[in-house]
Amino acid sequence: PRSRPLRRRRAWRRPVPLCNKRCQLLVCALVVPAFVLIALYLHNKASASSSLLAVGDPHLPSSGHSHSSEIIVGTTSTGTLSSSIRSRNNKFVGEAECKAYGCPVYPGDVADETVQSQIEEVTHVFPHAGKLSLPFGSTRMAACTQRGTTAQHNFNQDRGILIAPYYWKSDARHHQRGVINTIDDESLSSSTTDFLIGIFDGHGDEGHHISRYLQKDMAERLSGKLSQLSAEDIESGSAVLQSLKESFIESDANIPEAHAMNGGSTASVILRLGQKIYFANVGDSTTFLASYNRHTGETKVVHRNRKDKPHLLDERARIEASGGKVRAPLDHPIQARVIAYNSVRKELVGLAMSRSIGDWDHGKVGVIAEPTVDMFDLDDVLRGDNAGGGEKMTEAFVVVGSDGLFDARQPQFVANHLSKSYFGKETDVTGLLDGNRDHPVVQCSKLIGIATPKDPARYRDDITLLSLRL
């Protein structure tokens, strides 16, 4: 038989390493710090979800930039509620946002996980938390919002702002630079009682740009005008009414044309100067002043703004005199629309309000930016029963909100719920025990939940609510 050929034995070779020592050191120098950074990130993220965090404007998408800040908050009867607040992507906390006219407070998005964790923590500790404050609420105020679900927009078109104290004098620099933009009991009682609170509800393709513009522009523009008035002008009130009108009209005129031709916004504000309170309104948002009687436990809406709707006789007359057309269903006249040709969309568009900021094409047919204004003295509102040796028995608070809330619930309903948060106590005739009293921010979140349609298939509008106890 044929013998098989002998295979030559290969010489053994040492395997070539994939990485030499120098390479291994380089890999370790890169990989180990990366693992450490990932671990720190996950730890901070977990800590953030269980503590009170400061948040900025919830309507704006994250920019990816990091803005870190340390903020001390209130204490509980058992110690510190949260020793510090770490804030990422926060543009509205601290020195950068405080202006000469005050430190704005913006609504917290109740659908945001961070805000939800804050509200949950507040729920557990209130009312035993003392002077508990959040960046969007305290025992004297609340500011909440929630984005709707529409096919046209994937962002919230509502904007809200609350500034208390509101400084309008040209030499007023009472606030300390770098102070967190929260409102607590002391900041309202130890300084001026003047405030500005407003709601701006955008609509149309560019409405979110306009409402955001108004959120920043209106307070500064109005403060500048008020600073030019004399003490006599402020006392009389007529010059303040004129300043409000001019601020609205000028804000409208200064909107970038690209936005104003294809969108608009409501603008509804409440201003307090001394003992006078002013309402200025454009559009169909809702603002009102409510009172609470400690003796009877009664809550009532004292004054509310008028919604600017095209079916109103005076509004319709002005529009038709300008060549505009109003279409109003006979069975539901409140659903009337002002019809105008949109030069950007190249089609006829119906507007559900007779006054608006922006909507310049509708402005050609009688839709105006001049607000309806009201003024009255708070002493007349708060003059209640002074029983019990002259004890103050009547309290008051203000509320502003978008139609996403007030299309679903009446102002009286909202006032009843908020008064329990502000004034509820064990001896209250409503039977609300102090231990069951909700923090105003918690009540604000609940009201938004009540107004939200339970059927996910139904249209859900943006909902925003701000309130301040006087």
Side-chain angles (χ1 to χ4, degrees):
R2 295 179 63 180
S3 61
R4 296 178 180 176
L6 297 175
R7 293 181 178 178
R8 293 189 63 180
R9 202 168 189 178
R10 294 183 179 179
W12 181 83
R13 297 180 179 178
R14 183 184 299 274
V16 178
L18 296 177
C19 188
N20 56 28
K21 290 185 176 181
R22 182 178 298 176
C23 176
Q24 293 173 2
L25 292 175
L26 180 62
V27 170
C28 290
L30 294 175
V31 173
V32 173
F35 276 109
V36 172
L37 291 175
I38 292 173
L40 289 174
Y41 170 77
L42 295 176
H43 174 73
N44 289 338
K45 188 174 182 180
S47 300
S49 64
S50 61
S51 64
L52 296 177
L53 304 186
V55 295
D57 189 340
H59 317 288
L60 299 177
S62 173
S63 63
H65 301 292
S66 176
H67 299 270
S68 231
S69 59
E70 295 282 345
I71 302 160
I72 305 302
V73 297
T75 60
T76 67
S77 58
T78 58
T80 303
L81 174 65
S82 295
S83 59
S84 66
I85 302 176
R86 295 186 181 274
S87 173
R88 301 188 198 94
N89 301 319
N90 186 356
K91 301 179 180 179
F92 299 97
V93 171
E95 182 177 359
E97 183 59 17
C98 287
K99 307 294 185 180
Y101 51 79
C103 298
V105 173
Y106 301 99
D109 189 344
V110 298
D112 181 79
E113 293 183 0
T114 297
V115 175
Q116 288 178 354
S117 66
Q118 295 177 344
I119 294 175
E120 183 178 356
E121 187 169 353
V122 168
T123 303
H124 295 324
V125 299
F126 187 78
H128 308 293
K131 298 172 182 177
L132 175 61
S133 298
L134 302 173
F136 51 90
S138 73
T139 56
R140 299 189 68 117
M141 62 82 66
C144 303
T145 189
Q146 176 181 268
R147 182 176 67 87
T149 54
T150 65
Q152 293 80 13
H153 301 289
N154 59 355
F155 36 76
N156 194 336
Q157 289 194 305
D158 284 358
R159 294 293 187 275
I161 190 170
L162 193 160
I163 309 172
Y166 179 59
Y167 302 110
W168 49 270
K169 291 184 179 180
S170 58
D171 59 346
R173 296 295 185 272
H174 303 292
H175 63 281
Q176 180 181 355
R177 285 289 185 177
V179 175
I180 181 175
N181 57 342
T182 59
I183 299 178
D184 57 25
D185 297 336
E186 291 183 355
S187 67
L188 288 178
S189 61
S190 63
S191 185
T192 174
T193 57
D194 296 348
F195 65 78
L196 179 70
I197 183 172
I199 177 72
F200 313 100
D201 183 357
H203 54 260
D205 295 340
E206 301 294 320
H208 56 292
H209 293 296
I210 298 175
S211 59
R212 185 170 60 189
Y213 159 81
L214 292 171
Q215 184 188 46
K216 296 178 177 295
D217 179 79
M218 187 68 71
E220 182 175 4
R221 187 178 299 276
L222 178 60
S223 176
K225 289 186 174 296
L226 295 177
S227 67
Q228 301 174 13
L229 302 181
S230 65
E232 292 76 14
D233 292 333
I234 297 294
E235 183 63 27
S236 67
S238 58
V240 178
L241 293 174
Q242 185 62 30
S243 295
L244 281 165
K245 292 181 179 180
E246 292 175 356
S247 296
F248 276 62
I249 295 172
E250 291 176 11
S251 290
D252 174 76
N254 285 278
I255 301 172
E257 183 176 358
H259 301 326
M261 297 302 294
N262 197 26
S265 175
T266 71
S268 193
V269 304
I270 302 176
L271 169 69
R272 179 180 181 178
L273 298 180
Q275 285 303 102
K276 284 188 172 59
I277 193 163
Y278 303 84
F279 283 72
N281 181 77
V282 161
D284 58 1
S285 294
T286 297
T287 59
F288 66 83
L289 171 71
S291 66
Y292 173 79
N293 189 296
R294 289 190 177 276
H295 180 67
T296 63
E298 179 186 11
T299 300
K300 61 181 179 181
V301 176
V302 178
H303 179 82
R304 59 176 294 186
N305 68 312
R306 188 201 73 168
K307 293 185 177 182
D308 299 319
K309 289 292 190 178
H311 73 286
L312 299 175
L313 295 180
D314 57 337
E315 298 294 288
R316 183 167 188 166
R318 185 190 67 249
I319 292 169
E320 292 178 343
S322 302
K325 295 182 180 180
V326 176
R327 292 182 181 175
L330 295 178
D331 51 345
H332 296 288
I334 197 172
Q335 296 181 0
R337 298 289 189 272
V338 181
I339 308 301
Y341 181 78
N342 187 298
S343 57
V344 176
R345 300 176 63 176
K346 308 298 182 184
E347 62 181 351
L348 292 175
V349 174
L351 183 64
M353 56 194 74
S354 56
R355 301 184 187 221
S356 175
I357 305 294
D359 295 308
W360 284 2
D361 280 325
H362 284 81
K364 301 173 184 177
V365 295
V367 175
I368 60 177
E370 180 179 341
T372 55
V373 293
D374 298 297
M375 175 191 72
F376 51 90
D377 199 305
L378 278 174
D379 289 333
D380 297 334
V381 177
L382 303 181
R383 189 180 296 115
D385 298 327
N386 290 325
E391 179 185 359
K392 179 183 178 182
M393 300 302 298
T394 305
E395 303 282 357
F397 58 98
V398 292
V399 177
V400 304
S402 60
D403 59 351
L405 172 64
F406 290 103
D407 283 350
R409 290 294 183 269
Q410 292 295 319
Q412 186 63 54
F413 178 88
V414 175
N416 289 341
H417 280 258
L418 289 173
S419 67
K420 293 179 181 180
S421 292
Y422 290 136
F423 313 113
K425 58 183 179 179
E426 191 171 356
T427 58
D428 194 300
V429 297
T430 62
L432 180 71
L433 297 179
D434 189 61
N436 297 325
R437 177 182 171 190
D438 282 332
H439 189 281
V441 168
V442 177
Q443 192 62 254
C444 182
S445 176
K446 287 183 176 181
L447 284 167
I448 288 181
I450 292 172
T452 302
K454 300 302 181 285
D455 184 359
R458 289 184 57 189
Y459 169 77
R460 190 182 79 186
D461 198 2
D462 302 327
I463 303 175
T464 301
L465 171 64
L466 298 91
S467 177
L468 174 67
R469 174 182 173 181
L470 275 61

